Amino acid sequence: MKKGLNGLQAQVQQLNKIRESQMAKLAEAANQADTALESTHALDQAEIKYQQALLDKIKDLEARIARLESQNK
């Protein structure tokens, strides 16, 4: 009976070690996912700023063209 109990306790300890290992792997994967998400968000924000700068430049050029056209009339 004692031998069977010791065997079960050893299995429980083994399973706990496996569980701890899996939890550590999950935590690492979650951290990597968070890092990737933050990086993607930063890239998206940079793209938005770039597009906004292009739009602002286009508006400036359109205004300059309009002024030049009005001067030529």
Side-chain angles (χ1 to χ4, degrees):
M1 180 86 168
K2 181 137 173 127
K3 188 175 184 181
L5 183 57
N6 286 341
L8 287 175
Q9 287 175 333
Q11 285 181 344
V12 167
Q13 287 176 344
Q14 226 176 0
L15 289 172
N16 280 334
K17 286 180 184 178
I18 292 170
R19 182 179 57 87
E20 288 174 14
S21 173
Q22 292 299 317
M23 292 302 287
K25 288 177 184 177
L26 283 172
E28 179 61 27
N31 285 338
Q32 289 177 357
D34 285 346
T35 300
L37 186 60
E38 289 170 7
S39 182
T40 300
H41 180 69
L43 287 173
D44 288 346
Q45 291 299 314
E47 179 68 21
I48 289 168
K49 286 181 181 179
Y50 175 74
Q51 293 292 337
Q52 188 61 49
L54 286 177
L55 286 173
D56 291 344
K57 190 68 171 172
I58 290 169
K59 287 178 186 176
D60 289 345
L61 290 172
E62 287 174 339
R64 287 173 66 187
I65 290 169
R67 281 194 304 272
L68 288 171
E69 287 176 342
S70 70
Q71 287 175 356
N72 288 336
K73 288 183 179 180

